[in-house]
Amino acid sequence: MTVVTDPPGSLADDLARLVGREHVRVDDGALAAYARDATPLFSARPHAVVLPGSAEEVAAVLRYATERGVPVVPRGAGSNLCAATVPLSGGIVMALTRLNRILEVSPAELLARVQTGVTTAALSDAAAREGLLYAPDPGSRTVSTVGGNVATCAGGLRGLKYGVTRNHVLGLEAVLPTGEVVRTGGRLWKDVAGYDLTRLLTGSEGTLAVITEVTVGLLPAPGETGTGLAYFDSLAGASRAVAAVIAAGILPATLEFLDRKCVAAVEEFAGLGLRQDAGALLLFGDDGPSGAVADALARIGGVCADAGALEVTLAEDVARSEALLAARRCSLPALSRLAPLTILEDATVPRHRLAEMVDRIDGIADRHELMIATFGHAGDGNLHPTCVLDPDDGAAVERSHRAFAEIFAAAIELDGTITGEHGVGAAKLPYLADRIGDDQVALLRRIKRAFDPAGILNPGKLGS
């Protein structure tokens, strides 16, 4: 793989012959927009942006790029938080948002087929119209694409009960860097023929192939949903309640936490009447058959009370339930109001070490003189430490880099991992060997070479 040196006009002309002039961009505005994704502090301009309209056009661009050693970075909505779609080596950004058709929703087979550029919310809405549920619900669901969710194996608020994206992917259509179009998996929930390439491509972050179509499993929509919250004097108390809920044989659809700093920011932002004298807020929710949800929520509330909750409140209606879920979803925008730069990260530890990890994060923040608030998925131990600071304060930015390196090291030390749902991308690549070891990194590179011998796909990321 080589960095592009051809004049942009020459590259644009070649790409225009493959996908049409109107679907190639080399103007400064487009190149600046596609130089970054939602990850702060990462930026690199591509030489061209191409928007293919079919798998055949994707294949044509990839064959061209492989023959000439031109880097290609596949991209959906660019909402990822690990710099997975930043074109570090220039070249071509392949934006897949034109592939935006819902091809099929099959209630009889409990599945849907969609093109890669369909948004998560659009798929969820299409399933709901048939009385079905597409369970993955990342925070960026209104803008993120299904293909991007698959590429990063996105998670979400319902991960404890329903798992993450990979648990719902049945099959993929993908284009290899050499231009072959392959179909992995298919329409079946049970199919063990050959290597599980569907799972391999799920979470591969655009380094092995370009996903053009996704077949996902659906579930019958629950009859009811409900939400409640409990306040605790400390996150340790909330963590004990989480363990008690699971030990009681209850598997909630939602089990989220906000630390004191997050609660204060959310209340100032949204004015929901949240208590600000508590050390932690635990948001819990469930879904299921009509009549069963109220019982489950009452049981969870009772467990929280027995675990020492300062207060337990159940949402009295759907509107209030949605407001409480909105409180959790608006944690990031609420914190973003505190300073011009917001760095949202993720790390995961075993559930019983959640409070210990938050204490470690708070200590690291104090030591580096940074404002770091933490929220996340209490049910599966996935934390989102979020640092807010002034980007013009170079010393603070440098301290934030050191702080997050220590946070990832702490997660590994506590039997956890450097990312639970955001992905590795360029942002976490320096810490990957610490998590999986040098031998496994070498194996990733061998797999990368087998799929992408010219090394054109998303260079500088996994397997590079």
Side-chain angles (χ1 to χ4, degrees):
M1 189 274 300
T2 58
V3 176
V4 175
T5 56
D6 289 346
S10 172
L11 180 61
D13 290 342
D14 291 344
L15 294 174
R17 285 190 285 272
L18 301 177
V19 302
R21 175 70 63 182
E22 67 273 25
H23 303 306
V24 178
R25 300 286 299 275
V26 292
D27 56 285
D28 286 341
L31 299 185
Y34 285 94
R36 61 184 71 243
D37 52 30
T39 318
L41 305 177
F42 285 86
S43 178
R45 283 169 68 97
H47 291 79
V49 179
V50 61
L51 294 93
S54 66
E56 292 72 24
E57 289 185 353
V58 170
V61 173
L62 291 180
R63 282 193 295 269
Y64 168 87
T66 292
E67 290 169 1
R68 292 159 177 77
V70 179
V72 177
V73 178
R75 174 187 168 113
S79 60
N80 76 87
L81 291 163
C82 64
T85 54
V86 175
L88 300 177
S89 300
I92 301 166
V93 167
M94 181 181 285
L96 298 159
T97 47
R98 287 183 63 215
L99 300 175
N100 59 4
R101 290 190 298 132
I102 296 175
L103 303 172
E104 177 184 8
V105 177
S106 174
E109 296 176 90
L110 292 178
L111 62 80
R113 287 192 308 117
V114 301
Q115 291 185 311
T116 190
V118 170
T119 66
T120 316
L123 170 56
S124 297
D125 291 344
R129 287 193 290 272
E130 300 292 338
L132 301 172
L133 172 70
Y134 178 62
D137 65 332
S140 57
R141 62 190 300 275
T142 58
V143 295
S144 65
T145 63
V146 176
N149 291 172
V150 173
T152 56
C153 195
L157 272 65
R158 291 195 287 245
L160 173 62
K161 186 171 186 176
Y162 293 107
V164 295
T165 298
R166 66 167 170 260
N167 302 111
H168 303 271
V169 179
L170 299 178
L172 300 171
E173 178 187 78
V175 185
L176 302 180
T178 43
E180 300 99 320
V181 179
V182 298
R183 284 190 174 270
T184 71
R187 304 175 70 91
L188 305 175
W189 288 81
K190 295 171 70 175
D191 183 352
V192 294
Y195 293 140
D196 193 346
L197 298 180
T198 304
R199 279 290 186 99
L200 178 58
L201 292 179
T202 301
S204 62
E205 300 182 9
T207 62
L208 302 181
V210 177
I211 297 167
T212 51
E213 184 184 309
V214 183
T215 302
V216 298
L218 304 175
L219 299 169
E224 289 184 352
T225 61
T227 308
L229 58 81
Y231 297 95
F232 293 85
D233 59 3
S234 68
L235 189 59
S239 183
R240 286 192 295 270
V242 169
V245 167
I246 303 300
I250 308 169
L251 192 64
T254 303
L255 201 52
E256 303 287 305
F257 78 93
L258 283 73
D259 71 3
R260 185 193 302 271
K261 288 174 278 191
C262 277
V263 172
V266 168
E267 179 58 25
E268 182 181 351
F269 176 67
L272 296 169
L274 303 178
R275 285 183 59 163
Q276 298 187 59
D277 61 337
L281 179 156
L282 188 64
L283 176 69
F284 55 88
D286 204 7
D287 56 21
S290 299
V293 172
D295 177 66
L297 294 180
R299 290 178 64 200
I300 297 170
V303 170
C304 288
D306 291 343
L310 302 174
E311 178 186 343
V312 177
T313 303
L314 301 183
E316 64 275 12
D317 53 35
V318 173
R320 181 59 178 169
S321 182
E322 289 296 325
L324 293 178
L325 287 171
R328 163 60 181 84
R329 292 187 188 277
C330 77
S331 297
L332 178 58
L335 291 168
S336 297
R337 298 170 71 240
L338 304 181
L341 176 62
T342 305
I343 304 175
L344 169 64
E345 277 294 358
D346 85 312
T348 305
V349 295
R351 266 191 304 268
H352 69 281
R353 310 199 80 163
L354 192 66
E356 183 179 357
M357 183 63 190
V358 173
D359 286 344
R360 296 281 287 270
I361 291 171
D362 287 343
I364 291 168
D366 291 343
R367 191 161 57 252
H368 290 283
E369 300 179 340
L370 296 168
M371 163 62 173
I372 300 180
T374 305
F375 61 93
H377 315 295
D380 50 29
N382 187 203
L383 307 100
H384 294 308
T386 305
C387 182
V388 292
L389 68 160
D390 181 353
D392 294 328
D393 186 343
V397 171
E398 179 56 37
R399 293 199 305 275
S400 74
H401 292 320
R402 295 198 298 270
F404 279 116
E406 292 180 24
I407 287 170
F408 301 141
I412 293 171
E413 183 184 332
L414 296 178
D415 300 320
T417 185
I418 61 174
T419 177
E421 59 183 5
H422 288 177
V424 176
K428 298 284 185 66
L429 194 61
Y431 315 106
L432 184 60
D434 293 335
R435 170 63 184 93
I436 67 175
D438 291 337
D439 289 343
Q440 197 170 159
V441 169
L443 176 59
L444 295 186
R445 289 174 176 155
R446 293 198 294 275
I447 293 171
K448 165 73 170 172
R449 286 196 295 272
F451 275 79
D452 182 17
I456 64 156
L457 270 185
N458 214 357
K461 315 290 173 53
L462 287 175
S464 298

